PDB file of all heavy atoms in Angstrom:
ATOM      1  N   PRO G   1       2.737   2.722   8.577  1.00 97.00           N
ATOM      2  CA  PRO G   1       3.230   2.411   9.941  1.00 97.00           C
ATOM      3  C   PRO G   1       2.935   1.030  10.400  1.00 97.00           C
ATOM      4  O   PRO G   1       1.761   0.580  10.224  1.00 97.00           O
ATOM      5  CB  PRO G   1       2.548   3.462  10.807  1.00 97.00           C
ATOM      6  CG  PRO G   1       2.265   4.590   9.865  1.00 97.00           C
ATOM      7  CD  PRO G   1       1.909   3.897   8.535  1.00 97.00           C
ATOM      8  N   CYS G   2       3.887   0.327  10.942  1.00 95.00           N
ATOM      9  CA  CYS G   2       3.690  -1.021  11.491  1.00 95.00           C
ATOM     10  C   CYS G   2       3.128  -1.993  10.471  1.00 95.00           C
ATOM     11  O   CYS G   2       2.593  -3.030  10.855  1.00 95.00           O
ATOM     12  CB  CYS G   2       2.856  -0.975  12.735  1.00 95.00           C
ATOM     13  SG  CYS G   2       3.504   0.087  14.018  1.00 95.00           S
ATOM     14  N   LEU G   3       3.176  -1.684   9.246  1.00 97.00           N
ATOM     15  CA  LEU G   3       2.683  -2.541   8.171  1.00 97.00           C
ATOM     16  C   LEU G   3       1.204  -2.759   8.291  1.00 97.00           C
ATOM     17  O   LEU G   3       0.674  -3.818   7.873  1.00 97.00           O
ATOM     18  CB  LEU G   3       3.433  -3.862   8.090  1.00 97.00           C
ATOM     19  CG  LEU G   3       4.952  -3.791   7.988  1.00 97.00           C
ATOM     20  CD1 LEU G   3       5.495  -5.167   7.728  1.00 97.00           C
ATOM     21  CD2 LEU G   3       5.388  -2.841   6.858  1.00 97.00           C
ATOM     22  N   GLU G   4       0.433  -1.810   8.854  1.00 97.00           N
ATOM     23  CA  GLU G   4      -0.989  -1.937   9.042  1.00 97.00           C
ATOM     24  C   GLU G   4      -1.720  -1.108   8.020  1.00 97.00           C
ATOM     25  O   GLU G   4      -1.204  -0.103   7.545  1.00 97.00           O
ATOM     26  CB  GLU G   4      -1.380  -1.528  10.488  1.00 97.00           C
ATOM     27  CG  GLU G   4      -0.755  -2.460  11.569  1.00 97.00           C
ATOM     28  CD  GLU G   4      -1.062  -1.948  12.949  1.00 97.00           C
ATOM     29  OE1 GLU G   4      -1.788  -0.957  13.132  1.00 97.00           O
ATOM     30  OE2 GLU G   4      -0.548  -2.536  13.948  1.00 97.00           O
ATOM     31  N   GLY G   5      -2.984  -1.493   7.802  1.00 97.00           N
ATOM     32  CA  GLY G   5      -3.870  -0.703   6.957  1.00 97.00           C
ATOM     33  C   GLY G   5      -3.548  -0.725   5.469  1.00 97.00           C
ATOM     34  O   GLY G   5      -3.999   0.158   4.709  1.00 97.00           O
ATOM     35  N   GLN G   6      -2.863  -1.785   5.025  1.00 97.00           N
ATOM     36  CA  GLN G   6      -2.374  -1.822   3.652  1.00 97.00           C
ATOM     37  C   GLN G   6      -3.493  -1.786   2.607  1.00 97.00           C
ATOM     38  O   GLN G   6      -3.422  -1.049   1.586  1.00 97.00           O
ATOM     39  CB  GLN G   6      -1.533  -3.082   3.394  1.00 97.00           C
ATOM     40  CG  GLN G   6      -0.853  -3.101   2.008  1.00 97.00           C
ATOM     41  CD  GLN G   6      -0.158  -4.424   1.722  1.00 97.00           C
ATOM     42  OE1 GLN G   6      -0.552  -5.532   2.234  1.00 97.00           O
ATOM     43  NE2 GLN G   6       0.941  -4.364   0.976  1.00 97.00           N
ATOM     44  N   THR G   7      -4.547  -2.545   2.805  1.00 97.00           N
ATOM     45  CA  THR G   7      -5.595  -2.613   1.777  1.00 97.00           C
ATOM     46  C   THR G   7      -6.274  -1.302   1.485  1.00 97.00           C
ATOM     47  O   THR G   7      -6.331  -0.876   0.339  1.00 97.00           O
ATOM     48  CB  THR G   7      -6.623  -3.695   2.182  1.00 97.00           C
ATOM     49  OG1 THR G   7      -6.020  -4.989   2.241  1.00 97.00           O
ATOM     50  CG2 THR G   7      -7.779  -3.714   1.155  1.00 97.00           C
ATOM     51  N   ASN G   8      -6.700  -0.611   2.493  1.00 98.00           N
ATOM     52  CA  ASN G   8      -7.365   0.653   2.311  1.00 98.00           C
ATOM     53  C   ASN G   8      -6.366   1.739   1.826  1.00 98.00           C
ATOM     54  O   ASN G   8      -6.740   2.581   1.027  1.00 98.00           O
ATOM     55  CB  ASN G   8      -8.089   1.140   3.572  1.00 98.00           C
ATOM     56  CG  ASN G   8      -9.460   0.443   3.723  1.00 98.00           C
ATOM     57  OD1 ASN G   8      -9.950  -0.230   2.788  1.00 98.00           O
ATOM     58  ND2 ASN G   8     -10.123   0.703   4.838  1.00 98.00           N
ATOM     59  N   PHE G   9      -5.138   1.611   2.291  1.00 98.00           N
ATOM     60  CA  PHE G   9      -4.159   2.573   1.793  1.00 98.00           C
ATOM     61  C   PHE G   9      -3.927   2.351   0.294  1.00 98.00           C
ATOM     62  O   PHE G   9      -3.890   3.301  -0.478  1.00 98.00           O
ATOM     63  CB  PHE G   9      -2.777   2.431   2.515  1.00 98.00           C
ATOM     64  CG  PHE G   9      -1.686   3.049   1.663  1.00 98.00           C
ATOM     65  CD1 PHE G   9      -1.655   4.422   1.475  1.00 98.00           C
ATOM     66  CD2 PHE G   9      -0.716   2.277   1.020  1.00 98.00           C
ATOM     67  CE1 PHE G   9      -0.637   4.989   0.703  1.00 98.00           C
ATOM     68  CE2 PHE G   9       0.287   2.798   0.252  1.00 98.00           C
ATOM     69  CZ  PHE G   9       0.285   4.195   0.074  1.00 98.00           C
ATOM     70  N   MET G  10      -3.832   1.085  -0.142  1.00 98.00           N
ATOM     71  CA  MET G  10      -3.602   0.798  -1.551  1.00 98.00           C
ATOM     72  C   MET G  10      -4.796   1.320  -2.423  1.00 98.00           C
ATOM     73  O   MET G  10      -4.565   1.810  -3.535  1.00 98.00           O
ATOM     74  CB  MET G  10      -3.374  -0.650  -1.781  1.00 98.00           C
ATOM     75  CG  MET G  10      -2.036  -1.124  -1.187  1.00 98.00           C
ATOM     76  SD  MET G  10      -1.690  -2.913  -1.531  1.00 98.00           S
ATOM     77  CE  MET G  10      -1.062  -2.828  -3.206  1.00 98.00           C
ATOM     78  N   LYS G  11      -5.969   1.181  -1.922  1.00 98.00           N
ATOM     79  CA  LYS G  11      -7.148   1.664  -2.663  1.00 98.00           C
ATOM     80  C   LYS G  11      -7.080   3.189  -2.785  1.00 98.00           C
ATOM     81  O   LYS G  11      -7.327   3.760  -3.864  1.00 98.00           O
ATOM     82  CB  LYS G  11      -8.392   1.254  -1.929  1.00 98.00           C
ATOM     83  CG  LYS G  11      -8.708  -0.240  -1.923  1.00 98.00           C
ATOM     84  CD  LYS G  11      -9.972  -0.560  -1.188  1.00 98.00           C
ATOM     85  CE  LYS G  11     -10.260  -2.086  -1.190  1.00 98.00           C
ATOM     86  NZ  LYS G  11     -11.499  -2.359  -0.440  1.00 98.00           N
ATOM     87  N   ALA G  12      -6.658   3.846  -1.683  1.00 98.00           N
ATOM     88  CA  ALA G  12      -6.559   5.309  -1.736  1.00 98.00           C
ATOM     89  C   ALA G  12      -5.400   5.721  -2.651  1.00 98.00           C
ATOM     90  O   ALA G  12      -5.556   6.614  -3.502  1.00 98.00           O
ATOM     91  CB  ALA G  12      -6.277   5.875  -0.340  1.00 98.00           C
ATOM     92  N   ALA G  13      -4.254   5.009  -2.523  1.00 98.00           N
ATOM     93  CA  ALA G  13      -3.102   5.344  -3.348  1.00 98.00           C
ATOM     94  C   ALA G  13      -3.320   5.137  -4.849  1.00 98.00           C
ATOM     95  O   ALA G  13      -2.872   5.915  -5.663  1.00 98.00           O
ATOM     96  CB  ALA G  13      -1.901   4.565  -2.887  1.00 98.00           C
ATOM     97  N   SER G  14      -4.045   4.094  -5.134  1.00 97.00           N
ATOM     98  CA  SER G  14      -4.393   3.844  -6.551  1.00 97.00           C
ATOM     99  C   SER G  14      -5.206   4.963  -7.122  1.00 97.00           C
ATOM    100  O   SER G  14      -4.949   5.414  -8.254  1.00 97.00           O
ATOM    101  CB  SER G  14      -5.135   2.528  -6.648  1.00 97.00           C
ATOM    102  OG  SER G  14      -5.435   2.230  -8.022  1.00 97.00           O
ATOM    103  N   ASP G  15      -6.159   5.454  -6.365  1.00 97.00           N
ATOM    104  CA  ASP G  15      -6.969   6.594  -6.817  1.00 97.00           C
ATOM    105  C   ASP G  15      -6.147   7.837  -7.025  1.00 97.00           C
ATOM    106  O   ASP G  15      -6.451   8.709  -7.848  1.00 97.00           O
ATOM    107  CB  ASP G  15      -8.078   6.884  -5.813  1.00 97.00           C
ATOM    108  CG  ASP G  15      -9.214   5.842  -5.777  1.00 97.00           C
ATOM    109  OD1 ASP G  15      -9.241   5.008  -6.737  1.00 97.00           O
ATOM    110  OD2 ASP G  15      -9.987   5.860  -4.813  1.00 97.00           O
ATOM    111  N   LEU G  16      -5.064   7.966  -6.221  1.00 97.00           N
ATOM    112  CA  LEU G  16      -4.232   9.197  -6.252  1.00 97.00           C
ATOM    113  C   LEU G  16      -3.070   9.116  -7.231  1.00 97.00           C
ATOM    114  O   LEU G  16      -2.242  10.037  -7.282  1.00 97.00           O
ATOM    115  CB  LEU G  16      -3.690   9.478  -4.850  1.00 97.00           C
ATOM    116  CG  LEU G  16      -4.757   9.840  -3.760  1.00 97.00           C
ATOM    117  CD1 LEU G  16      -4.136   9.952  -2.419  1.00 97.00           C
ATOM    118  CD2 LEU G  16      -5.512  11.120  -4.166  1.00 97.00           C
ATOM    119  N   GLY G  17      -2.949   8.014  -7.926  1.00 97.00           N
ATOM    120  CA  GLY G  17      -1.892   7.881  -8.937  1.00 97.00           C
ATOM    121  C   GLY G  17      -0.538   7.333  -8.445  1.00 97.00           C
ATOM    122  O   GLY G  17       0.410   7.436  -9.147  1.00 97.00           O
ATOM    123  N   PHE G  18      -0.558   6.762  -7.201  1.00 98.00           N
ATOM    124  CA  PHE G  18       0.686   6.095  -6.767  1.00 98.00           C
ATOM    125  C   PHE G  18       1.027   4.951  -7.658  1.00 98.00           C
ATOM    126  O   PHE G  18       0.112   4.411  -8.357  1.00 98.00           O
ATOM    127  CB  PHE G  18       0.514   5.654  -5.347  1.00 98.00           C
ATOM    128  CG  PHE G  18       0.704   6.709  -4.281  1.00 98.00           C
ATOM    129  CD1 PHE G  18       0.182   7.966  -4.435  1.00 98.00           C
ATOM    130  CD2 PHE G  18       1.403   6.460  -3.116  1.00 98.00           C
ATOM    131  CE1 PHE G  18       0.346   8.955  -3.480  1.00 98.00           C
ATOM    132  CE2 PHE G  18       1.609   7.393  -2.156  1.00 98.00           C
ATOM    133  CZ  PHE G  18       1.063   8.664  -2.286  1.00 98.00           C
ATOM    134  N   ARG G  19       2.242   4.449  -7.606  1.00 98.00           N
ATOM    135  CA  ARG G  19       2.626   3.367  -8.477  1.00 98.00           C
ATOM    136  C   ARG G  19       3.054   2.074  -7.733  1.00 98.00           C
ATOM    137  O   ARG G  19       3.165   1.046  -8.328  1.00 98.00           O
ATOM    138  CB  ARG G  19       3.813   3.846  -9.319  1.00 98.00           C
ATOM    139  CG  ARG G  19       3.430   4.906 -10.347  1.00 98.00           C
ATOM    140  CD  ARG G  19       4.612   5.460 -11.112  1.00 98.00           C
ATOM    141  NE  ARG G  19       5.312   4.404 -11.792  1.00 98.00           N
ATOM    142  CZ  ARG G  19       6.518   4.486 -12.265  1.00 98.00           C
ATOM    143  NH1 ARG G  19       7.234   5.607 -12.041  1.00 98.00           N
ATOM    144  NH2 ARG G  19       7.094   3.485 -12.897  1.00 98.00           N
ATOM    145  N   TYR G  20       3.375   2.208  -6.344  1.00 98.00           N
ATOM    146  CA  TYR G  20       3.748   1.047  -5.681  1.00 98.00           C
ATOM    147  C   TYR G  20       3.410   1.166  -4.215  1.00 98.00           C
ATOM    148  O   TYR G  20       3.181   2.278  -3.685  1.00 98.00           O
ATOM    149  CB  TYR G  20       5.249   0.726  -5.797  1.00 98.00           C
ATOM    150  CG  TYR G  20       6.148   1.667  -5.048  1.00 98.00           C
ATOM    151  CD1 TYR G  20       6.448   1.395  -3.709  1.00 98.00           C
ATOM    152  CD2 TYR G  20       6.707   2.766  -5.643  1.00 98.00           C
ATOM    153  CE1 TYR G  20       7.263   2.270  -2.987  1.00 98.00           C
ATOM    154  CE2 TYR G  20       7.482   3.628  -4.942  1.00 98.00           C
ATOM    155  CZ  TYR G  20       7.772   3.385  -3.580  1.00 98.00           C
ATOM    156  OH  TYR G  20       8.588   4.262  -2.873  1.00 98.00           O
ATOM    157  N   ASP G  21       3.413   0.046  -3.507  1.00 98.00           N
ATOM    158  CA  ASP G  21       3.257   0.021  -2.073  1.00 98.00           C
ATOM    159  C   ASP G  21       4.272  -1.011  -1.513  1.00 98.00           C
ATOM    160  O   ASP G  21       4.577  -2.015  -2.179  1.00 98.00           O
ATOM    161  CB  ASP G  21       1.847  -0.385  -1.588  1.00 98.00           C
ATOM    162  CG  ASP G  21       1.809  -0.658  -0.135  1.00 98.00           C
ATOM    163  OD1 ASP G  21       1.959   0.278   0.663  1.00 98.00           O
ATOM    164  OD2 ASP G  21       1.690  -1.872   0.236  1.00 98.00           O
ATOM    165  N   THR G  22       4.805  -0.780  -0.337  1.00 98.00           N
ATOM    166  CA  THR G  22       5.757  -1.698   0.293  1.00 98.00           C
ATOM    167  C   THR G  22       5.416  -1.935   1.728  1.00 98.00           C
ATOM    168  O   THR G  22       6.254  -1.835   2.635  1.00 98.00           O
ATOM    169  CB  THR G  22       7.215  -1.245   0.077  1.00 98.00           C
ATOM    170  OG1 THR G  22       8.109  -2.181   0.749  1.00 98.00           O
ATOM    171  CG2 THR G  22       7.413   0.147   0.598  1.00 98.00           C
ATOM    172  N   SER G  23       4.105  -2.264   2.008  1.00 98.00           N
ATOM    173  CA  SER G  23       3.616  -2.356   3.375  1.00 98.00           C
ATOM    174  C   SER G  23       3.239  -3.752   3.807  1.00 98.00           C
ATOM    175  O   SER G  23       2.563  -3.932   4.812  1.00 98.00           O
ATOM    176  CB  SER G  23       2.411  -1.424   3.539  1.00 98.00           C
ATOM    177  OG  SER G  23       2.654  -0.128   3.127  1.00 98.00           O
ATOM    178  N   GLY G  24       3.659  -4.773   3.062  1.00 95.00           N
ATOM    179  CA  GLY G  24       3.266  -6.087   3.428  1.00 95.00           C
ATOM    180  C   GLY G  24       4.457  -7.004   3.649  1.00 95.00           C
ATOM    181  O   GLY G  24       5.565  -6.566   3.874  1.00 95.00           O
ATOM    182  N   VAL G  25       4.169  -8.280   3.677  1.00 97.00           N
ATOM    183  CA  VAL G  25       5.188  -9.348   3.843  1.00 97.00           C
ATOM    184  C   VAL G  25       5.061 -10.315   2.642  1.00 97.00           C
ATOM    185  O   VAL G  25       4.054 -10.965   2.404  1.00 97.00           O
ATOM    186  CB  VAL G  25       4.987 -10.091   5.146  1.00 97.00           C
ATOM    187  CG1 VAL G  25       6.075 -11.195   5.298  1.00 97.00           C
ATOM    188  CG2 VAL G  25       5.066  -9.146   6.334  1.00 97.00           C
ATOM    189  N   ASN G  26       6.168 -10.420   1.903  1.00 97.00           N
ATOM    190  CA  ASN G  26       6.150 -11.283   0.722  1.00 97.00           C
ATOM    191  C   ASN G  26       7.253 -12.378   0.831  1.00 97.00           C
ATOM    192  O   ASN G  26       8.160 -12.261   1.636  1.00 97.00           O
ATOM    193  CB  ASN G  26       6.502 -10.395  -0.514  1.00 97.00           C
ATOM    194  CG  ASN G  26       5.345  -9.619  -1.026  1.00 97.00           C
ATOM    195  OD1 ASN G  26       4.172  -9.822  -0.624  1.00 97.00           O
ATOM    196  ND2 ASN G  26       5.592  -8.620  -1.876  1.00 97.00           N
ATOM    197  N   GLU G  27       7.096 -13.393   0.016  1.00 97.00           N
ATOM    198  CA  GLU G  27       8.140 -14.311  -0.257  1.00 97.00           C
ATOM    199  C   GLU G  27       9.100 -13.684  -1.268  1.00 97.00           C
ATOM    200  O   GLU G  27       8.837 -12.670  -1.862  1.00 97.00           O
ATOM    201  CB  GLU G  27       7.609 -15.620  -0.906  1.00 97.00           C
ATOM    202  CG  GLU G  27       6.574 -16.313   0.031  1.00 97.00           C
ATOM    203  CD  GLU G  27       7.186 -17.181   1.056  1.00 97.00           C
ATOM    204  OE1 GLU G  27       8.417 -17.127   1.243  1.00 97.00           O
ATOM    205  OE2 GLU G  27       6.455 -17.892   1.753  1.00 97.00           O
TER     206      GLU G  27
END
């Protein structure tokens, strides 16, 4: 939500076997 909390979410998601995140701003 609102592109917030990405770092801790990614750490949790990595532990749970997720494969990607789309919560940031990229070039």
Side-chain angles (χ1 to χ4, degrees):
C2 303
L3 306 187
E4 297 175 4
Q6 185 187 33
T7 296
N8 278 352
F9 162 68
M10 293 183 79
K11 291 178 180 178
S14 181
D15 289 345
L16 296 173
F18 279 42
R19 295 174 57 198
Y20 74 85
D21 170 69
T22 178
S23 305
V25 178
N26 285 344
E27 302 276 8

